[in-house]
Amino acid sequence: MAADLIVGIQWGDEGKGKIVDLLAQEYDVVCRYQGGHNAGHTIVVDGKSLALHLIPSGILNPNATNIIGNGVVVSPEALIKEMEQFDDLQGRLLISDKAHLIFKYHEAIDKAKERLRGKNAIGTTGRGIGPAYADKVARQGHRVGELKDIDKLAQKIMDYFAMNEAYFKALGVETPSLEELKKELAHYRDALMPYVIDATNYLWELLALGEHKILLEGAQGTMLDIDHGTYPYVTSSNTIAAGACTGLGLAPKDIGRVIGIAKAYCTRVGNGPFPTEDFGPDGERLRRQGHEFGTTTGRPRRCGWFDAVAAKYACRLNGCDELAIMKLDVLDGFEKIKVASAYEYEGERIDYVPSDLENVTPIYVEFDGWESVAGVRRWEDLPTEAKLYIEGIEDLVETKITIISTSPDREDTIVRK
Ligand code: GDP
Ligand code: IMO
Ligand code: MG
C-alpha cells in the first residue's frame, strides 16, 4: 500500500496540523520528512489546543507510530521539551538515525546572519534551520545517530569550531567548553537514543508487508521550497511532495494520494514576494478574524486573497490529487471576496508563476460573500455563495476540493465525496 501525503501549497500555516490529525485517526504511521521546529502545527480537539513543532501530528492517535525522518533537522533541546508533554511515547515516536542535529550555535548563526542582512533579512524563525541544512550539505553536520558516542561527537564539534574560528568570531558566536558540551550531549543521548532507529528500513518493511496505512506530513509550504519557492525568501528544505522521497528514503512509486492544503485566502510570515497581500482594511480583517499570528514565533502574519495562479503551480509541483480548503469561516461577513486568477507580468497576462514573483501584479475575479459558515459540517448546509466560491477555486486551480474546514476543531470539517 502506497503512503499518502499532506503538503502545504501556499506559504505555510495552511492548517496542515488539523488535517493530519483528522486523517491520522485512520492511519497507523505518520512521518515528518523535512523542516524542523520552524514548523508549528496546531491541533484542536474538543476546544483543547496543542501546538506541535517536531513531533508528527499523528500523536493524538494512541495507536499510531510517529516517525521523524532523515530529512528533518532536529533540535534535541526543542524535541525533548516537546516530548515532555506526553507520557507514553515509547513505541509511538521514532527518530531516524540519519536526521541532522541542530545545535545552539546554528541558532546563533541564524540570528547573527539575519541581523547582518538588515533590511534584506529573510525573516527566519531564528531556529537555526538554514545553518543546520547548510552544514549538512557542506558535509560538516552531525546526525542523530552520532549521539551514540558523545566523546567522539564532542571532539568533532570542537574541531569544527577550531576550523571556523574566524567565522564564529566575526558572527559573535562563542566556542563551547568541551566539558559543558559533553554534559549537554549526554543529556540528549539519554533522552533520545531510546527512540532512534533506521527509519528507512523500518518504513520499507512496513511497505513490503502492505498492511499499514502510512501518512506523510509536510511542513512549511510549496512557496517556501528551497528550489521552487520565492528564493531567497524561502526555508532551507524541499517542502514539496518530492521532499518526502529524499526525507524518508522512499521511492516516488511509494507515494499514493497527495492532498494539498490551502487556506481560503493567503498568509505569509517573514519577508518576500506575496502578490495578493492586502495592505488595507481587508488584510487587517483577515488577520483579526483568522487570528493570524505565528504558532512558532507569535509574529503577525501578512494577509491577502487566495492566489489561484500560485495554487495551480503548487498543485502541479506536488501532483496534488485533491485539495483541502481551510479556514473558510474566516471569510464570513465579507461582502466581496477576491481571488487572483492571473498575473500581469512584463505587460502581458500570464497564468504561471515566474521565478521573479515580485514583479507580477495580480488580476482578480470577485465572488459574492456570505454571512456565516463557521462550524458547518455538511456540504448541503453551506450557503450558496460559499459553494460557488469553492467551485470557483476548483475551476481555477483545476483540482478537486474534497475537504473544507470551517473551524479549528477536528470535528468542524466537511468531507466531500
Ligand atoms: P500548519 O502550520 O499548516 O499546521 O497551520 P498552523 O497550525 O500554523 O496554523 C493554522 C491555524 O488555523 C491554527 O491555529 C489552526 O487551529 C487554525 N485553523 C485550522 N483550520 C481552521 C479553520 O477551518 N477555521 C479557523 N478559524 N481556524 C482554523
Ligand atoms: P509550518 O510548518 C510559515 C518561514 C519563515 C521565513 C522563512 C525561512 O507551520 O507551516 P526558516 O526559519 O525556515 O529559515 O525561515 O520560512 N517559515 C514558515 N512560515 N509556516 C512555517 O511552518 C514556516 N517555517 C518557516 O517565517 O519567512
Ligand atoms: Mg504553522
Side-chain angles (χ1 to χ4, degrees), residues 247-369:
L248 287 162
L250 299 179
K253 285 177 183 158
D254 291 323
I255 297 183
R257 185 175 156 213
V258 177
I259 306 168
I261 314 291
K263 275 178 196 170
Y265 50 99
C266 273
T267 65
R268 172 165 203 167
V269 223
N271 301 325
F274 177 8
T276 59
E277 182 167 13
D278 188 290
F279 298 95
D282 285 340
E284 188 51 50
R285 183 170 170 185
L286 287 170
R287 186 172 310 112
R288 200 178 59 245
Q289 290 188 187
H291 305 289
E292 294 297 354
F293 296 88
T295 311
T296 299
T297 58
R299 292 178 289 176
R301 295 176 182 147
R302 298 158 62 194
C303 296
W305 303 109
F306 189 86
D307 186 337
V309 187
K312 197 168 133 187
Y313 167 76
C315 284
R316 177 64 184 88
L317 273 169
N318 292 297
C320 290
D321 296 295
E322 51 198 284
L323 282 182
I325 296 292
M326 313 299 292
K327 303 187 93 162
L328 189 65
D329 55 298
V330 174
L331 296 176
D332 282 358
F334 275 88
E335 206 169 304
K336 293 282 177 195
I337 300 164
K338 293 201 280 185
V339 171
S341 59
Y343 298 142
E344 192 188 308
Y345 176 65
E346 295 179 340
E348 283 183 32
R349 183 190 169 99
I350 60 165
D351 65 354
Y352 62 89
V353 172
S355 54
D356 54 339
L357 192 60
E358 60 277 22
N359 294 323
V360 307
T361 310
I363 299 170
Y364 289 109
V365 286
E366 256 188 8
F367 289 84
D368 288 330

Side-chain angles (χ1 to χ4, degrees), residues 149-166:
D149 185 345
I150 55 161
D151 286 338
K152 196 165 152 194
L153 177 56
Q155 193 50 55
K156 277 183 170 172
I157 293 174
M158 294 308 286
D159 292 347
Y160 166 83
F161 268 88
M163 212 167 90
N164 296 285
E165 202 182 342

Side-chain angles (χ1 to χ4, degrees), residues 13-17 40-42 295 301 327 329 405-408:
D13 299 328
E14 297 92 347
K16 299 175 291 292
H41 296 178
T42 316
T295 311
R301 295 176 182 147
K327 303 187 93 162
D329 55 298
S405 173
T406 59
S407 103

Side-chain angles (χ1 to χ4, degrees), residues 346-396:
E346 295 179 340
E348 283 183 32
R349 183 190 169 99
I350 60 165
D351 65 354
Y352 62 89
V353 172
S355 54
D356 54 339
L357 192 60
E358 60 277 22
N359 294 323
V360 307
T361 310
I363 299 170
Y364 289 109
V365 286
E366 256 188 8
F367 289 84
D368 288 330
W370 53 83
E371 214 162 284
S372 173
V373 301
V376 171
R377 296 180 182 183
R378 298 187 329 160
W379 173 256
E380 306 84 88
D381 297 337
L382 283 177
T384 305
E385 293 81 5
K387 287 182 185 159
L388 288 173
Y389 183 65
I390 293 293
E391 287 166 352
I393 291 181
E394 230 168 18
D395 286 346
L396 288 167

